[in-house]
Amino acid sequence: MRHLSDIEIIESIKRGNASDFSLLVNRYKDRAFSLLRRILKNELDAEEALQDSFLKVFNGLKDFRKDAQFSTWLYKIVFNTGLTVLSSKKRKIEQEMSSIDEEYNLGNYDNEIYGTTENVRQYILKMVDQLPVRGALVVILFYMDGLSLNEISQVMGTSLVNTKVLLHRSRNALKDLLLKHNYQEEML
Amino acid sequence: MNNITDEILNKYIDGELEPFELAEVKNEIEKNDEALARLKALRLVDNSLKQMEVEQAPINLSEKVMKAISNASKAVKPKISYFFVTIISLFSVGVLGVIVAAFRSIDNGNGQSTVTPYMDKTKDVIGKNLIEFQNFFSNKNVLLVVSVLTLILLITVYLTFEAHKNFKNKLNHY
């Protein structure tokens, strides 16, 4: 079967084939779920937010412009839904989310995670979850979803410069932890 | 380049340095163990993050989403089609107008009643107007007008029914 592009699927849905939306859900659900789980740090909340996100996407398809990148638009909805859920849970969203000047203090969890991980890769991936939300999301969108910094800035509503700063800060924070544990010596 | 900052190292691993900057950084790193360690650690971070795996969403998520969409669609009340309501209202007003006009013309003495035995029996019960109504419909011109109006009404009803059926199909499809 020919691989349908996002736009082809959307056109089909707009013609009345609503069941084709499941193709888009299956295509993006894992990546969107990964993103939401990082934002909400809870699988149940992430699943609920994911359903809500896809519902918003479906209802918004009629306004979706063909010239836009569907994945960027979808991630933006997922991202904002995640933030809304986070906000409704009365976490300290302003403290965590409002600026790029978030605290990269990973020391609280470092010893525990360092003691329970088997290798450097596992250690780094676990520490990503401890990054400030925006920092973690930039890392996820950049490395896991393969979005460009420009696309990430559109998703997150930040400037390109700030997006790059967030990525660098996140990598630097992880790099400092590796230096602390002398992990760099493992690299030849 | 005496001081190799983290910013420069990030640009280095992203391949964003100009050729002359790249040469300087490489040269500096050869002499600076501390910068080399930072570069190694940053590369390790970069390589590890590139191997980051996508997490699996819950298995039945697609079904849940499609069900939620279906439920949301059913919850939306269908809008009243004012177009069809207007057409039917106008049609009804037209029919009433024709009937009223016909009764007036009968009152003027155009009607000639043909009273059947059955109508004789009901005449006392329903009244004189019913007989006049029957006479009215015995007129060929009136019959033609009523037939045309009836045809229009049937077409309107058919179109309304089809529109409603399509809308229901669309809802069920969701």
Side-chain angles (χ1 to χ4, degrees):
Chain A
M1 189 183 164
R2 190 169 71 90
H3 180 83
L4 292 170
S5 71
D6 292 345
I7 297 298
E8 285 173 319
I9 295 171
I10 291 166
E11 288 302 311
S12 175
I13 296 165
K14 283 182 176 176
R15 284 196 299 270
N17 304 315
S19 58
D20 284 355
F21 188 67
S22 62
L23 297 173
L24 290 176
V25 174
N26 287 330
R27 189 170 290 178
Y28 288 101
K29 64 179 180 182
D30 291 340
R31 292 175 184 279
F33 180 74
S34 300
L35 197 66
L36 285 168
R37 210 199 56 69
R38 247 86 187 195
I39 297 174
L40 300 169
K41 306 195 188 302
N42 176 310
E43 291 209 3
L44 283 177
D45 287 346
E47 185 182 343
E48 198 175 311
L50 188 56
Q51 282 187 50
D52 193 24
S53 302
F54 276 123
L55 203 58
K56 285 177 186 169
V57 169
F58 181 81
N59 291 330
L61 276 182
K62 59 182 181 298
D63 301 320
F64 176 73
R65 298 187 327 274
K66 269 188 198 176
D67 55 333
Q69 182 81 17
F70 174 73
S71 57
T72 309
W73 181 68
L74 178 133
Y75 283 130
K76 191 167 187 170
I77 290 175
V78 170
F79 176 74
N80 287 329
T81 304
L83 292 193
T84 305
V85 173
L86 192 64
S87 172
S88 70
K89 290 195 169 295
K90 295 180 180 177
R91 294 181 190 173
K92 292 178 181 174
I93 186 166
E94 285 183 3
Q95 191 181 340
E96 288 192 55
M97 311 289 299
S98 62
S99 73
I100 61 162
D101 295 323
E102 297 164 303
E103 265 201 55
Y104 279 79
N105 182 10
L106 307 179
N108 296 342
Y109 308 95
D110 181 36
N111 288 338
E112 185 188 337
I113 291 173
Y114 181 69
T116 54
T117 49
E118 293 171 0
N119 54 52
V120 62
R121 182 175 158 271
Q122 206 178 68
Y123 171 73
I124 289 175
L125 298 184
K126 285 208 171 186
M127 288 311 291
V128 169
D129 285 342
Q130 307 308 324
L131 289 170
V133 177
R134 278 179 185 257
L137 292 183
V138 170
V139 167
I140 304 288
L141 291 170
F142 187 77
Y143 284 102
M144 191 187 285
D145 297 305
L147 266 62
S148 68
L149 287 172
N150 195 31
E151 287 170 323
I152 296 170
S153 69
Q154 287 176 42
V155 169
M156 297 178 61
T158 50
S159 70
L160 182 61
V161 173
N162 281 351
T163 307
K164 188 181 271 194
V165 168
L166 277 171
L167 178 66
H168 288 184
R169 283 189 182 177
S170 299
R171 284 199 303 218
N172 289 339
L174 296 170
K175 178 257 302 172
D176 290 340
L177 289 171
L178 296 195
L179 287 171
K180 177 183 167 189
H181 298 296
N182 273 325
Y183 268 130
Q184 80 280 2
E185 298 300 327
E186 292 183 16
M187 254 193 120
L188 294 175
Chain B
M1 194 178 289
N2 295 324
N3 185 21
I4 298 186
T5 62
D6 286 345
E7 187 64 23
I8 291 169
L9 291 180
N10 271 284
K11 285 185 177 179
Y12 180 85
I13 63 165
D14 285 336
E16 291 178 351
L17 291 177
E18 297 295 328
F20 73 93
E21 291 175 309
L22 191 65
E24 279 188 54
V25 169
K26 280 183 176 174
N27 187 40
E28 183 67 25
I29 283 171
E30 281 179 13
K31 298 182 285 186
N32 186 336
D33 288 343
E34 186 271 336
L36 181 62
R38 280 192 287 133
L39 178 63
K40 279 183 175 180
L42 203 55
R43 273 216 171 115
L44 198 50
V45 169
D46 188 50
N47 290 337
S48 299
L49 293 177
K50 280 175 182 166
Q51 295 170 44
M52 193 181 282
E53 289 172 358
V54 176
E55 290 181 50
Q56 297 288 308
I59 301 165
N60 56 351
L61 184 100
S62 299
E63 289 76 22
K64 282 184 181 175
V65 168
M66 296 312 289
K67 196 177 172 186
I69 287 170
S70 173
N71 290 340
S73 302
K74 282 175 187 168
V76 176
K77 288 183 181 174
K79 285 182 183 173
I80 298 166
S81 174
Y82 292 105
F83 174 71
F84 289 115
V85 170
T86 308
I87 284 180
I88 290 169
S89 302
L90 286 174
F91 177 80
S92 305
V93 168
V95 168
L96 282 173
V98 168
I99 290 170
V100 168
F103 273 121
R104 281 191 173 180
S105 68
I106 288 167
D107 287 344
N108 290 337
N110 293 337
Q112 186 68 273
S113 62
T114 310
V115 182
T116 63
Y118 174 75
M119 294 307 281
D120 273 340
K121 288 178 184 175
T122 55
K123 188 179 177 183
D124 294 335
V125 180
I126 302 170
K128 194 179 176 182
N129 285 338
L130 185 64
I131 307 302
E132 288 173 349
F133 188 71
Q134 190 188 33
N135 289 336
F136 166 68
F137 279 105
S138 65
N139 186 311
K140 282 184 180 177
N141 289 335
V142 172
L143 274 177
L144 185 68
V145 171
V146 170
S147 301
V148 170
L149 288 173
T150 306
L151 187 66
I152 294 170
L153 178 65
L154 286 172
I155 292 169
T156 309
V157 168
Y158 172 76
L159 289 173
T160 309
F161 177 74
E162 280 296 306
H164 182 68
K165 199 168 77 177
N166 287 339
F167 183 74
K168 270 185 80 176
N169 284 342
K170 211 172 178 181
L171 278 183
N172 292 336
H173 197 64
Y174 288 154

